[in-house]
Amino acid sequence: MKLLLSYCLIFLFAYAESLCIVHTITPKTKNSISEIISNANSGDTILIKKGYYKSRTILIDKPITIIGEKNTIIDAENTAELFVVKADNVSIIGLNLKNIVYNSLKDNSAILVENASNIKLKNNKIENSFFAVYIKRSNNIELHNNTIKGNSVKEALSGNAIHIWYCTNVIADKNNLSGHRDGIYIEFSKNCLITNNNSHNNLRYGLHFMFSDSCDYERNTFNHNGAGVAVMYSKYISMTYNNFSLNRGTASYGLLLKDISNSVINRNVFTSNTVGIYAEGTNRCMITENDFRNNAWALRFLSNCFDNTISFNNFYTNTFEFATNKGTFRNKMENNYWSSAKIFDLNRDGISDIPHRPMTLFAYLVETYSETLILNRSFFIKILNLSETLLPSITPKDIVDDRPLMAPHKYDKNR
C-alpha cells in the first residue's frame, strides 16, 4: 500500500511539473508584463526577451520565476516603483531595472520583498533607484551577483542599495553596490551572511548593522565610502577577511563600533582610512590578526570599552597607532607588531624585551586639543614624543603592549 501511495505521489508531482508554462514576452507583445504575470499560474516561468520595456508597479503574488535575456531593460520612467513581491518561492534573474521614482513618504524600490520566503534575486542590474532592493519581514533570501548603481548626492534624499529589515537568513554574495546612502543596511535581523561584495562610493556606510545579531560578513571590500562599515547596537557579529580602504573624512572610519559586544574582528586589512577602527561602548570583542597600514589613526578606543582583546595585529606606519579620551584602559593588549616600536630581543624568543606604548604624548594632546594636529611631523613633536617614551608621565600607563612582537605576525591570508 505504501509503495502504491509513493507511485501516486511521484505521478502527481510529475503531472504538476508538466503543467508549468513558460511565457515569453517580447517588446512587441500586446499585454504588459504585469498582465502576463497576473494571468500566469503558480510555478510558471516568465521569459522576457531582450529589449526596452516601460512599466509601472508589477505585483507578484504567486510563486513564479522571471528571467530576462541579456539587455532586457525595464524602465519605471521616474513615475513608479517596479516589482513588489508578496509570495514565497519567487526568483527574479537577469533584468536591468531603472529610474525608480523618489518619494519622501514611501520607500519606493526597484524590487520590494515583503512577508515572503525563499526568494532569489540574481544577476540583476539596477540603476538610478531610490531604494534598489528592500526586503522586509522575510526569510531565506538570496541576492547573488547584482550590480546596483545609484546617483545619490544627499543622504537625506537617498535610499539604500540593499535594505534588510526584520529578516532572518539573508545571503548577499558578490554584489557590486555604489552611489546610495548605504551599500547594505541591516536592521533588526538575524543570521545574515554578507560575502564577497564590493561596496564603494556610498554616501554614508558601505555596510551598516543596527540592532542585529548573529550575522557574519566576510571577504568584502569597502572603499571610498563616507565610512566603511558601522556596527551599532548589535552582538555576535563576525567580521573576517574584509578590506577597508580609503574611507576618509573628518568623521570617517574604516570600521565604526558603537555599543556592540561579543563579536570577532579577525584577519581584516585597514589601509589609508582616517581611522582604522573607532570603538565606543564595545565590550568582550576579539580584535586579532588584522593589518593596519597607513591610517591616520589605527585604533581609537573610548574609555567605555571593556574586556576586549587586541592581539597579534600588525601596525605599519600609521600616523597614530592608538588614541583614547581618558586615562583608563581595561582591555587586554599584547603580542602585536608595531612598526614604530623600539625593540630588543636579547633572549631571541621573538618578543621584544621592551614594552611598547602605542599612544604617544602627541596623540594624547590631539585628543585633548585637536588644534595641535597642525604640529604633526614637526621637529618639536618628535622631541616631545621621545622624551615621553623615555620618561612616561602624562600618557595613560595602562595603554601598553608588554609583549610586542619583533616581526609582523604571519597568518593565512587565503584560508
Side-chain angles (χ1 to χ4, degrees):
M1 185 62 183
K2 288 184 177 178
L3 184 62
L4 178 61
L5 181 59
S6 298
Y7 281 131
C8 290
L9 289 173
I10 292 172
F11 174 76
L12 287 173
F13 281 127
Y15 180 70
E17 185 74 19
S18 67
L19 292 179
C20 295
I21 297 173
V22 176
H23 304 265
T24 302
I25 304 175
T26 73
K28 295 182 179 179
T29 301
K30 290 184 178 179
N31 291 337
S32 68
I33 297 172
S34 186
E35 289 170 333
I36 290 173
I37 290 175
S38 178
N39 294 327
N41 295 313
S42 296
D44 286 358
T45 296
I46 312 297
L47 175 62
I48 306 177
K49 306 291 281 186
K50 69 178 181 181
Y52 178 81
Y53 302 82
K54 298 178 182 177
S55 181
R56 300 295 178 263
T57 302
I58 300 168
L59 174 64
I60 301 177
D61 56 359
K62 65 194 75 172
I64 58 172
T65 297
I66 301 172
I67 301 175
E69 279 191 346
K70 186 177 181 181
N71 296 324
T72 298
I73 301 170
I74 302 178
D75 190 343
E77 297 183 298
N78 295 307
T79 60
E81 56 186 351
L82 281 174
F83 289 97
V84 175
V85 179
K86 294 190 175 183
D88 299 340
N89 304 306
V90 172
S91 297
I92 299 177
I93 302 169
L95 299 177
N96 184 348
L97 311 177
K98 59 196 309 182
N99 299 329
I100 307 304
V101 65
Y102 164 81
N103 187 320
S104 60
L105 300 178
K106 291 183 63 180
D107 298 328
N108 289 332
S109 315
I111 301 174
L112 169 66
V113 177
E114 186 172 7
N115 295 317
S117 62
N118 303 320
I119 307 297
K120 294 183 180 179
L121 309 176
K122 184 177 179 182
N123 298 336
N124 298 292
K125 184 176 182 181
I126 301 175
E127 301 173 279
N128 190 30
S129 61
F130 181 39
F131 285 81
V133 178
Y134 196 124
I135 305 168
K136 59 171 69 173
R137 295 190 182 280
S138 300
N139 60 76
N140 299 330
I141 310 295
E142 297 183 24
L143 302 103
H144 294 285
N145 201 36
N146 300 287
T147 299
I148 299 175
K149 184 176 182 180
N151 301 314
S152 299
V153 177
K154 295 182 178 180
E155 277 188 24
L157 302 178
S158 60
N160 302 315
I162 297 174
H163 190 102
I164 300 167
W165 186 72
Y166 268 108
C167 295
T168 57
N169 301 326
V170 177
I171 297 174
D173 180 61
K174 296 180 181 174
N175 300 288
N176 192 315
L177 314 164
S178 65
H180 285 75
R181 182 170 56 196
D182 293 344
I184 303 175
Y185 180 89
I186 302 172
E187 186 175 26
F188 298 114
S189 296
K190 297 179 66 173
N191 299 327
C192 296
L193 177 61
I194 312 298
T195 55
N196 301 301
N197 299 284
N198 183 7
S199 187
H200 58 98
N201 296 100
N202 295 291
L203 296 178
R204 192 168 62 176
Y205 304 122
L207 172 63
H208 188 184
F209 289 92
M210 291 288 285
F211 307 106
S212 297
D213 67 90
S214 305
C215 298
D216 296 356
Y217 68 91
E218 178 178 330
R219 296 190 184 284
N220 302 281
T221 297
F222 306 102
N223 58 33
H224 289 292
N225 298 289
V229 175
V231 184
M232 309 172 80
Y233 310 105
S234 299
K235 57 186 178 180
Y236 301 111
I237 306 295
S238 176
M239 319 170 215
T240 57
Y241 284 104
N242 299 287
N243 194 325
F244 304 78
S245 64
L246 299 166
N247 299 291
R248 295 173 172 171
T250 53
S252 187
Y253 321 96
L255 173 59
L256 165 64
L257 306 175
K258 181 175 175 60
D259 290 295
I260 82 161
S261 62
N262 301 94
S263 296
V264 174
I265 303 166
N266 178 236
R267 300 189 175 186
N268 303 282
V269 177
F270 299 84
T271 306
S272 301
N273 303 285
T274 300
V275 181
I277 298 177
Y278 175 90
E280 60 177 274
T282 299
N283 305 311
R284 300 180 300 282
C285 292
M286 300 291 293
I287 303 174
T288 59
E289 297 188 314
N290 302 285
D291 285 353
F292 297 85
R293 298 176 179 273
N294 304 322
N295 300 283
W297 284 265
L299 294 175
R300 290 183 77 181
F301 263 54
L302 299 194
S303 59
N304 60 351
C305 299
F306 302 118
D307 301 325
N308 301 287
T309 297
I310 303 169
S311 62
F312 295 102
N313 300 287
N314 298 316
F315 294 84
Y316 304 95
T317 61
N318 301 284
T319 303
F320 301 110
E321 292 172 332
F322 189 91
T324 188
N325 59 332
K326 294 282 181 63
T328 55
F329 184 69
R330 301 176 184 175
N331 305 280
K332 179 181 179 182
M333 180 190 290
E334 65 178 18
N335 293 122
N336 299 286
Y337 172 75
W338 310 89
S339 63
S340 66
K342 310 301 181 194
I343 49 179
F344 298 97
D345 186 14
L346 296 180
N347 61 1
R348 299 184 178 181
D349 64 351
I351 307 297
S352 175
D353 301 332
I354 303 175
H356 177 64
R357 298 181 181 277
M359 186 165 180
T360 63
L361 176 57
F362 183 44
Y364 183 82
L365 292 174
V366 169
E367 286 298 310
T368 308
Y369 309 103
S370 59
E371 298 83 1
T372 58
L373 189 59
I374 197 172
L375 300 172
N376 187 29
R377 302 187 190 282
S378 68
F379 181 71
F380 170 73
I381 294 300
K382 290 181 180 178
I383 296 295
L384 198 67
N385 283 334
L386 179 60
S387 61
E388 181 68 8
T389 302
L390 297 174
L391 295 171
S393 58
I394 298 177
T395 53
K397 63 179 181 180
D398 294 331
I399 302 175
V400 59
D401 186 337
D402 288 318
R403 296 170 54 83
L405 300 178
M406 291 294 295
H409 172 66
K410 295 181 179 178
Y411 58 89
D412 184 0
K413 297 185 179 180
N414 298 314
R415 196 181 62 166

